[in-house]
């Protein structure tokens, strides 16, 4: 009986020299907080669009176990087990903005030191109309 216990323990141990490979995940996000709060951007539609258009192995919508999408706090998070270009997420975001006719008001900006993007409004300032008459009078 003592031998059976020893054998059970030895079979539970890992073989020497065999390393278990760590599963690497790449995490990306798109922060849509500002336009969602203003009510001009629908995060649910955006998540559906990305899930349908996202290509894995050159097939759109073929996410499988490779890509997972989830929403939290007005952000769309994308986790992948395959290495993909971060710019692919920016490309899909820009295509969605163009389709929704929001490209004239919003642009996609990379967040520093993080793997993600943020949607921001364009800074549109009117010309210096107030200073022009003052300059003409002098």
């Amino acid at each position: 009986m003592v031998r059976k216990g020893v054998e059970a323990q030895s079979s539970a141990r890992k073989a020497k020299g065999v390393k278990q490979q760590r599963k690497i995940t790449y995490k990306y996000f798109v922060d849509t907080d500002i336009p969602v709060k203003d009510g001009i951007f629908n995060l649910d539609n955006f998540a559906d669009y990305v899930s349908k258009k996202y290509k894995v192995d050159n097939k759109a919508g073929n996410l499988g176990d490779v890509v997972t999408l989830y929403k939290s706090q007005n952000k769309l998070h994308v986790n992948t087990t395959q290495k993909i270009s971060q710019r692919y997420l920016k490309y899909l975001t820009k295509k969605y903005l163009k389709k929704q006719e929001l490209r004239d008001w919003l642009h996609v900006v990379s967040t520093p030191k993080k793997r993600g993007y943020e949607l921001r409004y364009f800074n549109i300032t009117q010309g210096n109309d107030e200073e022009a008459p003052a300059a003409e009078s002098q």
Side-chain angles (χ1 to χ4, degrees), residues 20 31 44 81 85:
Q20 189 177 14
D31 186 3
D44 295 329
T81 55
S85 173

mmCIF file of all heavy atoms in Angstrom, residues 20 31 44 81 85:
data_model
loop_
_atom_site.group_PDB
_atom_site.id
_atom_site.type_symbol
_atom_site.label_atom_id
_atom_site.label_comp_id
_atom_site.label_asym_id
_atom_site.label_seq_id
_atom_site.Cartn_x
_atom_site.Cartn_y
_atom_site.Cartn_z
ATOM 1 N N GLN A 20 6.092 24.143 -18.852
ATOM 2 C CA GLN A 20 4.750 24.468 -19.306
ATOM 3 C C GLN A 20 4.787 25.866 -19.907
ATOM 4 O O GLN A 20 5.271 26.806 -19.281
ATOM 5 C CB GLN A 20 3.777 24.412 -18.140
ATOM 6 C CG GLN A 20 2.340 24.535 -18.546
ATOM 7 C CD GLN A 20 1.412 24.405 -17.351
ATOM 8 O OE1 GLN A 20 1.851 24.487 -16.216
ATOM 9 N NE2 GLN A 20 0.146 24.212 -17.620
ATOM 10 N N ASP A 31 -11.116 53.758 -25.653
ATOM 11 C CA ASP A 31 -11.841 54.534 -24.656
ATOM 12 C C ASP A 31 -12.809 55.468 -25.381
ATOM 13 O O ASP A 31 -12.391 56.371 -26.096
ATOM 14 C CB ASP A 31 -10.857 55.332 -23.810
ATOM 15 C CG ASP A 31 -11.527 56.050 -22.659
ATOM 16 O OD1 ASP A 31 -12.750 55.891 -22.478
ATOM 17 O OD2 ASP A 31 -10.828 56.772 -21.920
ATOM 18 N N ASP A 44 -22.536 49.800 -27.778
ATOM 19 C CA ASP A 44 -23.043 48.470 -28.137
ATOM 20 C C ASP A 44 -22.932 48.228 -29.642
ATOM 21 O O ASP A 44 -22.503 47.154 -30.078
ATOM 22 C CB ASP A 44 -24.489 48.309 -27.686
ATOM 23 C CG ASP A 44 -24.622 48.341 -26.172
ATOM 24 O OD1 ASP A 44 -23.676 47.906 -25.484
ATOM 25 O OD2 ASP A 44 -25.670 48.813 -25.683
ATOM 26 N N THR A 81 -4.917 36.175 -28.153
ATOM 27 C CA THR A 81 -3.813 35.268 -27.857
ATOM 28 C C THR A 81 -2.816 35.265 -28.999
ATOM 29 O O THR A 81 -1.701 34.797 -28.835
ATOM 30 C CB THR A 81 -4.317 33.833 -27.612
ATOM 31 O OG1 THR A 81 -5.090 33.417 -28.730
ATOM 32 C CG2 THR A 81 -5.162 33.784 -26.354
ATOM 33 N N SER A 85 -1.506 43.564 -34.944
ATOM 34 C CA SER A 85 -1.102 44.956 -34.948
ATOM 35 C C SER A 85 -2.102 45.771 -34.137
ATOM 36 O O SER A 85 -3.312 45.602 -34.271
ATOM 37 C CB SER A 85 -1.053 45.469 -36.384
ATOM 38 O OG SER A 85 -0.822 46.847 -36.396
#
